[in-house]
């Protein structure tokens, strides 16, 4: 078995194990297998033939996403050691809740920045592919516009009645990742491989980044309600805060993991195939 093919098989196997672990609510194992999958995918990209600037850009993007996954794994293990909330006085509990919530949002924003940088690198790899004038280019451009419109409609309710500069200051990395992924999708039709793995991967990656942005916006909206009780109705500590957009479909964590990992893998493999096909033609 050749090295690139073996690494690809290992990446697929680790990805399936990651999804299975998420399905069984084994978050740490899911993140560990996801990290293995992304690292094996980086090795596959670097060991495969193809245009150098495409390979290095794609490898850098997948590598950054692997760093993000490692960060999430470290954070999850760190959260498992948390001592819990202080219980002396309702005011203290409220302050601790708001402070801890804000700290979590700031960490998620840094993670979203890593995702945005990874998606940017993947987009650079897509843009480096030669345009071959495929007829499906217009179709992916229209699909990207439709996804962008859907994303705007779904996230818009989070902006109502809340300070827009503060919200944008929090969610901009995730927003950037979603917009860039959809921009890469618009370009992918003219650069797609024969099996259209690249556009399919970018559709999944666009959905994953849009979900990340929506979740971050919802978390910030919930924190804003808690931190500004004079401007919004405060919910008691210990009750679930439904800050998300109600009409967003609730998907399981396993589906989210599958979409994110499959999108990344299809983009990487599709970009390699497209570069090889362009050189052969």
């Amino acid at each position: 078995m050749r090295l690139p093919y073996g690494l690809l098989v290992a990446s697929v196997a680790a990805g399936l194990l990651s999804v299975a672990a998420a399905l069984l609510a084994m978050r740490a194992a899911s993140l560990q297998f996801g990290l293995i999958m992304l690292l094996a995918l980086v090795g596959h990209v670097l060991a495969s033939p193809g245009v150098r600037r495409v390979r290095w850009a794609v490898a850098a993007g997948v590598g950054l996403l692997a760093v993000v996954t490692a960060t999430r794994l470290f954070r999850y293990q760190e959260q498992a050691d948390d001592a819990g909330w202080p219980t002396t006085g309702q005011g203290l509990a409220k302050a601790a809740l708001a402070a801890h919530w804000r700290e979590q949002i700031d960490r998620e924003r840094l993670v979203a920045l890593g995702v945005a940088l990874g998606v940017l690198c993947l987009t650079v790899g897509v843009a480096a592919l030669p345009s071959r004038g495929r007829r499906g280019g217009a179709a992916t451009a229209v699909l990207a516009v439709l996804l962008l419109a859907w994303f705007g409609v779904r996230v818009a309710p989070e902006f109502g009645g809340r300070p827009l500069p503060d919200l944008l200051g929090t969610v901009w990395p995730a927003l950037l990742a979603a917009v860039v992924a959809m921009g890469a999708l618009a370009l992918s039709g003219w650069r797609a491989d024969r099996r259209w793995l690249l556009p399919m991967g970018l559709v999944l990656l666009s959905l994953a980044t849009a979900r990340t942005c929506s979740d971050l916006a919802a978390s910030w909206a919930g924190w804003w309600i808690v931190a500004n009780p004079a401007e919004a109705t405060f919910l008691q500590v210990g009750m679930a805060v439904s800050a998300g957009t109600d009409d967003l479909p609730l998907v399981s964590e396993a589906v989210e993991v599958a979409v994110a990992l499959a999108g990344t893998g299809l983009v990487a493999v599709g970009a390699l195939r497209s570069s090889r096909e362009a050189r052969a033609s």
Side-chain angles (χ1 to χ4, degrees):
M1 182 182 294
R2 294 185 303 169
L3 178 61
Y5 182 74
L7 289 171
L8 181 60
V9 171
S11 179
V12 173
L16 292 175
L17 289 173
S18 178
V19 175
L23 190 62
L24 297 174
M26 301 168 61
R27 181 163 176 77
S30 178
L31 290 170
Q32 289 169 353
F33 283 121
L35 179 59
I36 294 172
M37 178 229 167
L38 293 173
L39 292 177
L41 187 60
V42 170
H44 169 72
V45 172
L46 293 177
S48 298
V51 180
R52 177 176 296 183
R53 62 180 180 273
V54 173
R55 288 192 299 114
W56 282 102
V58 172
V62 178
L64 285 168
L65 295 178
V67 172
V68 168
T69 303
T71 302
R72 284 176 171 159
L73 176 61
F74 175 78
R75 282 190 52 213
Y76 178 80
Q77 293 173 339
E78 187 180 58
Q79 288 172 357
D81 298 329
D82 282 349
W85 302 106
T87 57
T88 308
Q90 186 180 10
L92 182 58
K94 290 179 181 179
L97 172 63
H100 181 78
W101 201 337
R102 182 67 208 193
E103 181 183 356
Q104 295 299 316
I105 290 173
D106 289 340
R107 291 185 177 183
E108 282 300 322
R109 182 171 58 176
L110 291 176
V111 168
L113 180 59
V115 173
L117 292 174
V119 173
L120 278 171
C121 289
L122 292 176
T123 303
V124 170
V126 172
L129 292 169
S131 178
R132 290 182 281 173
R134 291 188 179 276
R135 295 180 180 179
T140 56
V142 171
L143 179 58
V145 171
L146 292 176
L147 279 176
L148 185 60
W150 169 84
F151 173 61
V153 169
R154 300 299 186 179
V155 177
E158 302 296 349
F159 292 80
R162 300 180 180 93
L164 182 59
D166 292 345
L167 177 56
L168 289 178
T170 299
V171 305
W172 71 265
L175 182 62
L176 176 63
V179 172
V180 169
M182 294 174 195
L185 172 61
L187 295 175
S188 65
W190 287 280
R191 296 164 169 80
D193 55 292
R194 292 172 185 169
R195 296 184 180 179
W196 277 67
L197 299 179
L198 180 60
M200 288 191 295
L202 286 169
V203 169
L204 295 178
L205 198 60
S206 297
L207 293 174
T209 52
R211 181 72 185 185
T212 299
C213 183
S214 176
D215 288 345
L216 186 57
S219 295
W220 183 90
W223 168 84
W224 187 82
I225 292 174
V226 173
N228 298 274
E231 302 178 34
T233 302
F234 178 73
L235 301 180
Q236 293 181 358
V237 177
M239 295 180 62
V241 177
S242 180
T245 308
D246 292 336
D247 54 0
L248 274 174
L250 297 177
V251 296
S252 69
E253 185 176 352
V255 173
E256 293 182 14
V257 170
V259 169
L261 293 181
T264 304
L266 288 174
V267 169
V269 175
L272 290 176
R273 287 183 60 89
S274 182
S275 66
R276 290 197 298 265
E277 291 172 3
R279 291 179 64 183
S281 60

